[in-house]
Amino acid sequence: MALRHLTPFSSLTPRSKSLSFFTTPHNKNKRFSFSVSAMASAVRKVLVPIANGTEPMEAVITIDIMRRAGAEVTVASVEKQLKVDACHGVKIVADALISDCADTVFDLISLPGGMPGAATLKDCGTLESMVKKQAADGRLYAAICAAPAVALGSWGLLKGLKATCYPSFMEQLSSFTTTVESRVQQDGKVVTSRGPGTAMEFSVALVEQLFGKEKADEVSGPLVLRPNHGDEYTITELNPMMWTFDNCPKILVPIANGTEEMEAVIIIDVLRRAKAEVVVASVEDKLEVMASRKVKLVADSLLDEAAKLSYDLIVLPGGLGGAQAFAKSEKLVSLLKKQRESNRPYGAICASPAWVLEPHGLLKGKKATAFPPMCDKLSDKSEAENRVMVDGNLITSRGPGTCLEFSLAIVEKLFGRNKALELAKGMLFVKP
């Protein structure tokens, strides 16, 4: 059984203990003087506005991680309805309309990027007033990707501060502020970041600003973050085989109540960026599901309908509740068994290798990994320390912090390393 590394190994040490993801100008650092005990006791209110054309990874990662930290997060639509059509066909249902939030005081307002979503946020008068008041009152505000330039810069909220954004918006940003190329930049009460590939670092930095470093460390541990942000990712592969398809790969991504929303959205978003045909299917009796951190996602179809087709790949996101729902779905388990029997690719991340694939015999004779506390459920743990493990037609991975690598590994198997790296650099996951 040959062991092949698709790229030379970079450091595969456990996650970095340092959570100083953001860059701070030394002379501005003193603006922050939070009491850790006060942080711990107060409920922190966070607003994440979304629009049609919002980048779903940037929105959902921030919502999920802030809720993991214990923040009370309101997802607010700036459209006329709660359901928004984010980029790459991801449908998200907001908690409220922005007009419902106008009189609420938030400890943080964080703007996701994506176009035309960022432009729609900029044009929302209610949101503009709220963020301007946030800045005037000395409370934290943040933006990522296109939003620092398109929204914050246009509103005049970056004057005299250092900020960063998505590379193609840096020239626009430079007309409003001093630009830097940090992956995450904090100056005074504003935190900015670059793109989908920096969204986890950005969100953990926001946790640190709201709750303190101890909480940021506590939240980041289970994410299984990379120790080497920006470096090329590494995949471990055994028994290499070609993953073949006709014309365009057709991929099934099931979702359920309790699915880990970061993992689901990252997988869907990245594979659609690669131009794969992705079918998001609900295993529940309705299209809308409530994911593990209470993000409401809308599937393309019910599994009963989706199961009538055959797929080049079936890939399961994690989340304990979602994985348990998958394991109980006879239709999904039957599809997975047929996929294995026909030697077509299938995969899972986080809880799903341990809770779905293992008990149904879908890891027999295969090396796999899973969410670290669940690896004890794997009958063969010999390769479980790998962040992404490919064994023939099976691909598995560990958690939210490995999900971009997992998704890019799928792109690499289907379309080649060059395509995967092109996407990785475009998302700022790998340094351009």
Side-chain angles (χ1 to χ4, degrees):
M1 189 160 63
L3 173 63
R4 182 169 78 94
H5 299 296
L6 298 193
T7 61
F9 265 119
S10 56
S11 168
L12 285 184
T13 54
R15 67 171 187 88
S16 171
K17 295 292 183 186
S18 170
L19 280 170
S20 298
F21 292 135
F22 46 83
T23 304
T24 59
H26 294 298
N27 62 336
K28 305 277 176 79
N29 244 358
K30 294 177 184 174
R31 296 192 193 184
F32 282 96
S33 56
F34 293 130
S35 157
V36 174
S37 60
M39 288 181 204
S41 61
V43 173
R44 297 277 158 174
K45 291 189 176 183
V46 176
L47 178 71
V48 179
I50 59 173
N52 293 333
T54 285
E55 183 10 85
M57 283 192 277
E58 293 164 357
V60 169
I61 288 169
T62 299
I63 296 160
D64 186 316
I65 289 178
M66 296 311 300
R67 284 178 174 163
R68 284 169 180 254
E72 184 182 303
V73 181
T74 301
V75 183
S77 168
V78 303
E79 306 292 348
K80 292 178 180 176
Q81 66 288 328
L82 292 176
K83 190 175 95 168
V84 306
D85 294 313
C87 296
H88 311 295
V90 176
K91 304 177 194 75
I92 304 170
V93 180
D95 305 318
L97 298 177
I98 193 69
S99 54
D100 301 327
C101 306
D103 297 327
T104 305
V105 174
F106 292 96
D107 298 286
L108 163 67
I109 300 176
S110 184
L111 278 54
M115 289 294 284
T120 303
L121 296 183
K122 180 203 72 162
D123 293 337
C124 175
T126 302
L127 180 62
E128 179 180 354
S129 298
M130 291 175 72
V131 182
K132 283 183 172 177
K133 188 172 191 312
Q134 189 82 359
D137 292 348
R139 292 192 300 273
L140 196 65
Y141 57 104
I144 188 170
C145 196
V150 172
L152 297 187
S154 299
W155 293 337
L157 296 178
L158 296 176
K159 288 176 183 173
L161 301 172
K162 290 185 177 179
T164 192
C165 69
Y166 193 75
S168 60
F169 289 88
M170 287 289 269
E171 187 176 343
Q172 182 179 344
L173 185 66
S174 68
S175 64
F176 305 121
T177 188
T178 303
T179 59
V180 292
E181 294 189 357
S182 314
R183 292 175 66 81
V184 180
Q185 175 71 32
Q186 174 258 317
D187 192 352
K189 297 288 188 180
V190 64
V191 181
T192 52
S193 190
R194 309 213 75 189
T198 68
M200 285 200 189
E201 298 149 74
F202 171 68
S203 301
V204 173
L206 294 177
V207 171
E208 185 167 335
Q209 292 309 305
L210 277 186
F211 295 96
K213 190 172 186 308
E214 186 177 343
K215 174 61 76 172
D217 285 344
E218 177 192 318
V219 167
S220 67
L223 297 176
V224 202
L225 294 172
R226 298 178 85 198
N228 48 342
H229 296 292
D231 289 0
E232 283 198 22
Y233 61 92
T234 306
I235 303 159
T236 306
E237 182 168 28
L238 296 164
N239 305 309
M241 62 173 276
M242 294 290 290
W243 289 12
T244 58
F245 57 89
D246 295 325
N247 301 316
C248 176
K250 197 174 186 73
I251 300 171
L252 177 67
V253 180
I255 59 174
N257 293 330
T259 286
E260 213 313 310
E261 46 268 82
M262 286 192 279
E263 293 165 357
V265 167
I266 290 169
I267 292 163
I268 296 159
D269 188 316
V270 172
L271 295 180
R272 284 181 174 159
R273 283 172 182 256
K275 307 303 182 193
E277 183 183 342
V278 178
V279 176
V280 182
S282 169
V283 305
E284 308 294 344
D285 56 7
K286 60 179 184 175
L287 294 177
E288 184 180 316
V289 306
M290 179 77 80
S292 62
R293 299 293 184 272
K294 309 305 180 191
V295 171
K296 296 184 278 284
L297 300 173
V298 182
D300 304 319
S301 66
L302 298 178
L303 184 65
D304 282 354
E305 189 64 29
K308 295 173 183 175
L309 304 172
S310 64
Y311 296 91
D312 299 298
L313 169 68
I314 300 173
V315 58
L316 311 180
L320 181 56
Q324 289 171 332
F326 295 160
K328 291 174 186 171
S329 169
E330 291 179 10
K331 187 144 284 182
L332 179 57
V333 171
S334 174
L335 280 175
L336 286 163
K337 286 181 174 177
K338 285 176 187 171
Q339 198 79 0
R340 176 185 165 99
E341 287 159 11
S342 58
N343 208 31
R344 292 198 301 267
Y346 60 103
I349 187 169
C350 196
S352 288
W355 283 87
V356 187
L357 302 187
E358 178 68 45
H360 288 290
L362 293 160
L363 295 183
K364 191 174 180 181
K366 297 281 191 182
K367 305 290 187 184
T369 188
F371 186 56
M374 297 178 184
C375 283
D376 283 348
K377 289 183 172 291
L378 302 179
S379 52
D380 184 343
K381 307 173 190 63
S382 61
E383 296 289 341
E385 292 301 312
N386 291 296
R387 293 177 64 81
V388 180
M389 184 69 216
V390 183
D391 187 351
N393 62 332
L394 171 71
I395 181 166
T396 53
S397 191
R398 310 209 81 186
T402 69
C403 196
L404 266 167
E405 294 147 85
F406 175 66
S407 304
L408 288 165
I410 292 170
V411 172
E412 185 167 336
K413 288 299 297 179
L414 293 170
F415 300 102
R417 179 76 177 174
N418 288 343
K419 180 65 176 178
L421 278 178
E422 175 192 320
L423 288 182
K425 289 174 182 178
M427 294 185 293
L428 282 301
F429 184 66
V430 169
K431 293 185 185 84

